[in-house]
Amino acid sequence: MDLPKLAIAALGGTVSMQASHAGEGVIPTVSGETLLQSLPELSTLARINVETLGLLPSASLDFEFLLSVLHWANEQISQGAVGVVITQGTDTLEETATFFDYLWNHNEPLVVTGAMRSAAQAGADGPANLLDACRVALAENSRHRGVQVVMNGQIHAANAVRKIDSLALQAFASPVSGPVGLLIENTVRYLRPPAQRRVLPMPQRCAKVALLEASLSADTLLLENIVDLGYDGLVIAGFGAGHVSGQWAAVIESITQKIPVIVATRTGSGSTAQCSYGFIGGEMDLIRKGAAMAGCLCPRKARILLWLLIGCQRQGDLARYLKDE
Ligand code: ASP
């Protein structure tokens, strides 16, 4: 029987990390090809094309590089792959998954995974996560679901997943909605039907979008200079349901005249409000002053959406994209 084609790209991260000498910290050195050597059973499930596209800590990934990864993944699908798996560092995985999801224009699944423990650590989770990710990418019921994150036996939708712990094995969660699926005895089980997807055109230019977090008694110096510094858009990680101080609110009003501003919640879970709080700096005031509310989209993901919308000159569609978040 002809096995399905599966494409795997390694970008680096803890899953690819080891120490070259005892006592030194781990760095990304393990290629995708070597990662697969620990998973001999994969060759009974699929014909694999594995490539090492990078060996980077995920803090050093950037949008330009991710666009080249996306180009590679698109090619794999046009050459007959039934799915694509990307291994990378977990630190920015919630952002890269969102980035890919807004641009992934295929019914075939793209699955992102990584590891919390490096290869030499006892109980390393990389091989199990990679095998799970491959099972998800190969599963028929994963089609039409866009980009998903597979970690620790759970499947998460790209727009919902967040890294919620710095070092724990259970480091990923979808705080509002929970995981969309689970791996149960090697079977891919979904808990919800696929959600409707909206794919953006490829960005034509590299926008500059700032992300500022509101904090108690913060001054307005950075905020006041955002436009002069050349930023094309601004995301604010606001207090609670999307709030800022009265001082910040006044500056935000002048910024929204010039560039789009999104206000998200810095709480780590939940939605921004629309019509609950009437104080200066509350969400009703900020909406009146021209800001858009992010809904359940976290500040980092909101920044990705704004970067992509500005990059393809669709910032006018921002409200429509945020409506269902
Ligand atoms: N701690 C990170 C990881 O889990 C390092 C990185 O993101 O590259 O992979």
Side-chain angles (χ1 to χ4, degrees), residues 213-219 237 239 245 248 266:
E213 179 165 310
S215 56
L216 191 63
S217 197
D219 63 59
F239 301 115
S245 67
W248 272 41
R266 66 171 199 170

Side-chain angles (χ1 to χ4, degrees), residues 63 95 98-99 102 198 200 209 235 262 293-294 297-312 314-315 317-323 325:
F63 293 150
E95 285 161 273
T98 299
F99 182 90
Y102 279 126
R198 270 173 311 188
L200 281 167
V209 178
V235 175
I262 303 180
M293 304 307 286
L297 208 59
C298 80
R300 298 175 286 278
K301 292 177 194 282
R303 176 174 168 267
I304 300 230
L305 173 63
L306 191 51
W307 187 87
L308 289 168
L309 283 171
I310 296 172
C312 65
R314 295 270 292 269
Q315 52 271 51
D317 290 349
L318 181 59
R320 208 158 56 77
Y321 273 86
L322 290 175
K323 193 167 76 58
E325 291 298 344

Side-chain angles (χ1 to χ4, degrees), residues 12-15 17 56-59 88-92 114-116 163 166:
T14 297
V15 66
M17 288 195 195
L56 293 162
S58 71
Q88 66 153 87
T90 59
D91 289 352
T92 61
M116 293 304 294
K163 187 171 186 181
S166 55

